[in-house]
Amino acid sequence: LGEVEDFPFINPPDPRLVRDGYKLLEELGAVTASGKLTQVGRRMARLPVDPRLARMVLAGSELGCLEEVLVITSALAIQDPRERPSDKQQQADQSHARFRHPRSDFMAWLNLWRYYEEQRQVLSQNQLRKLCKREFLSFMRMREWRDLHRQLLLAVKPLLQKIKNDVELD
């Protein structure tokens, strides 16, 4: 597509925002100081999430915790599926309390994911929808979470093979 500055936008972005975007990408290792795309940047570009989240996925694969990072990344990319209706906040808090982890909100996401996946395996879609309603979880957001997780999983498979090949070449 060429340089961002030369792209014929109908409403061009503020140049400061473009500079900030490049600075972020440089901090993430996606581009060099001169703005050239790096290997990390190429891998990040293949993931259907914000660059920060894409970098988390790549780091998770490098550190051997990809499975967990995919769940957390996909959770961070969607609206929180836990519902807290104003007239039932205490009930919702009690229902969500079992997923909490004393040291990590990220572990709470993993707990919720594992619970939902267990239930999804044994319940019909209608039963799962009712369970979500009873437990103050948005069925549609849980589905969105699962769909994004699947997209990430499919997108990361070829990247893992490429990373493995690159490592073997070094």
Side-chain angles (χ1 to χ4, degrees):
L1 295 176
E3 297 298 320
V4 174
E5 297 82 13
D6 300 331
F7 191 81
F9 288 104
I10 293 173
N11 295 315
D14 184 325
R16 292 174 296 191
L17 296 176
V18 173
R19 279 192 303 276
D20 289 349
Y22 271 113
K23 184 178 176 185
L24 171 66
L25 292 173
E26 185 180 350
E27 288 172 6
L28 296 172
V31 297
T32 63
S34 62
K36 300 294 179 200
L37 194 62
T38 65
Q39 283 295 101
V40 169
R42 280 185 184 77
R43 291 177 185 140
M44 288 170 55
R46 289 185 170 90
L47 299 174
V49 289
D50 178 274
R52 293 174 194 94
L53 299 177
R55 188 63 185 99
M56 283 175 47
V57 170
L58 295 181
S61 70
E62 294 162 6
L63 298 172
C65 55
L66 181 61
E67 183 179 328
E68 293 82 0
V69 170
L70 286 177
V71 170
I72 293 166
T73 299
S74 52
L76 293 172
I78 64 158
Q79 189 174 342
D80 191 338
R82 296 170 294 186
E83 295 180 331
R84 230 175 145 246
S86 57
D87 60 329
K88 296 181 180 178
Q89 288 181 354
Q90 187 174 2
Q91 289 171 289
D93 290 345
Q94 287 173 343
S95 181
H96 301 154
R98 70 174 162 216
F99 305 119
R100 285 197 190 106
H101 190 277
R103 294 180 304 177
S104 171
D105 289 339
F106 296 128
M107 292 299 295
W109 283 116
L110 291 172
N111 292 339
L112 174 55
W113 176 264
R114 289 176 182 138
Y115 171 74
Y116 179 78
E117 282 299 300
E118 286 171 9
Q119 298 306 308
R120 193 186 63 75
Q121 297 292 327
V122 297
L123 298 177
S124 69
Q125 186 163 327
N126 191 39
Q127 291 170 323
L128 188 59
R129 189 180 297 271
K130 289 176 182 176
L131 174 88
C132 285
K133 186 171 179 66
R134 271 194 320 271
E135 305 210 2
F136 301 96
L137 300 170
S138 167
F139 176 76
M140 293 306 288
R141 288 190 209 129
M142 293 299 293
R143 228 169 91 183
E144 181 184 6
W145 185 6
R146 189 165 188 283
D147 290 345
L148 181 55
H149 178 269
R150 180 167 163 63
Q151 287 176 25
L152 283 172
L153 191 58
L154 292 173
V156 85
K157 280 184 181 182
L159 289 178
L160 293 176
Q161 187 59 45
K162 177 110 176 78
I163 290 169
K164 181 180 174 186
N165 292 342
D166 290 349
V167 169
E168 289 173 358
L169 292 175
D170 288 344

